Amino acid sequence: MKRRKGQFDFKQFSIKQECSAMKVGTDGVLLGAWTNVTGSKTVLDIGTGTGLIALMIAQRNPVASIHAIEIDQASAAEALTNVSHSPWADRVKVFHESIQDFSAHATHAYDLIVSNPPFFNSGTASPSANRHQARHTGQLPQKDLIQTVAGLLSDQGRFSVIIPVTESDNFISMAADYGLHPCHITTFFPKAHKPSERHLIEFTRTEGPAREDRLVQYLEHGEWTEGYKNLTRDFHIKL
């Protein structure tokens, strides 16, 4: 990707982010590139922000119909702009509402649900109200997210999420209460010698041992690892 003022350019689309609460970041790029999109005809992106993950999935899956949900009005408007200027405007639809309200009138189940959710349960509030909403779980408690996913996911569907390592045990335990079980867990490290920061987790309704692996982003001298480059090669302009 290439960063310009208020905009990130990827190989096949651009993301304007002048008004969105949460800007393009590593978490979103990771989840959009990592998520298994094979065979998914209907996709739901919960908390789409700028529309980044929805557009990444649209690029990776040429047949998927994608619904992107965003509660913040400015972010939803910017996501709509980004979608309308992308090659996949006919397959991605943006909804400005909470996932709780959306689920009340959803008409079908989804083969894939993906979310880069708010994940701070405590701590100092952000001085920006919409940024605080995007980063903290007040508007989307983890239980509400999991309960909604359980209600909207198809029987053979997959749910992919990226969360802090410190939150993952509780999230996995809560998901199990709703019949969702991890089948793939990737532990993400910014550098090999640094502590892990995130877990990328894929859930299904089938209980069994999860495949576990790891991903390191940077080498010691600051270059991307081959693993990270291979994962994001279809998106970063300089790769």
Side-chain angles (χ1 to χ4, degrees), residues 1 4 34 45 62-64 75 79 124 129 134 140 162 196 208 220 225 237:
M1 60 187 172
R4 294 188 284 171
W34 178 88
D45 178 16
V63 300
S75 299
T124 303
L140 184 58
I162 183 168
S196 59
E220 296 305 317
T225 64
I237 289 176

Side-chain angles (χ1 to χ4, degrees), residues 26-209:
T26 301
D27 284 5
V29 173
L30 280 172
L31 187 61
W34 178 88
T35 294
N36 181 0
V37 301
T38 303
S40 298
K41 295 182 178 179
T42 54
V43 179
L44 177 64
D45 178 16
I46 300 175
T48 196
T50 61
L52 170 65
I53 294 171
L55 290 174
M56 291 179 75
I57 291 174
Q59 177 180 324
R60 294 178 59 213
N61 184 323
V63 300
S65 173
I66 302 165
H67 289 167
I69 313 302
E70 177 52 53
I71 190 173
D72 177 65
Q73 183 174 8
S75 299
E78 204 152 50
L80 182 60
T81 297
N82 291 328
V83 167
S84 66
H85 287 89
S86 78
W88 313 289
D90 60 331
R91 293 195 289 115
V92 182
K93 186 174 182 180
V94 177
F95 295 83
H96 170 223
E97 60 184 319
S98 70
I99 187 57
Q100 295 94 330
D101 289 342
F102 177 84
S103 65
H105 62 76
T107 58
H108 63 265
Y110 292 88
D111 301 323
L112 171 63
I113 300 178
V114 62
S115 184
N116 177 13
F119 50 70
F120 291 110
N121 284 313
S122 60
T124 303
S126 167
S128 167
N130 61 347
R131 182 172 172 83
H132 176 78
Q133 176 177 272
R135 292 177 63 84
H136 292 255
T137 60
Q139 294 293 323
L140 184 58
Q142 291 181 356
K143 183 177 180 180
D144 282 14
L145 173 62
I146 293 168
Q147 186 174 23
T148 300
V149 168
L152 293 175
L153 192 67
S154 66
D155 289 343
Q156 304 301 318
R158 299 183 297 268
F159 169 44
S160 292
V161 65
I162 183 168
I163 54 178
V165 169
T166 54
E167 300 284 335
S168 60
D169 285 347
N170 181 65
F171 195 92
I172 289 171
S173 176
M174 195 180 303
D177 293 338
Y178 289 89
L180 299 173
H181 308 281
C183 65
H184 184 193
I185 301 173
T186 296
T187 303
F188 173 72
F189 299 81
K191 289 186 177 181
H193 70 282
K194 297 284 188 180
S196 59
E197 291 185 349
R198 299 284 187 269
H199 276 148
L200 294 139
I201 310 175
E202 180 183 287
F203 292 87
T204 68
R205 297 189 187 276
T206 302
E207 190 170 4

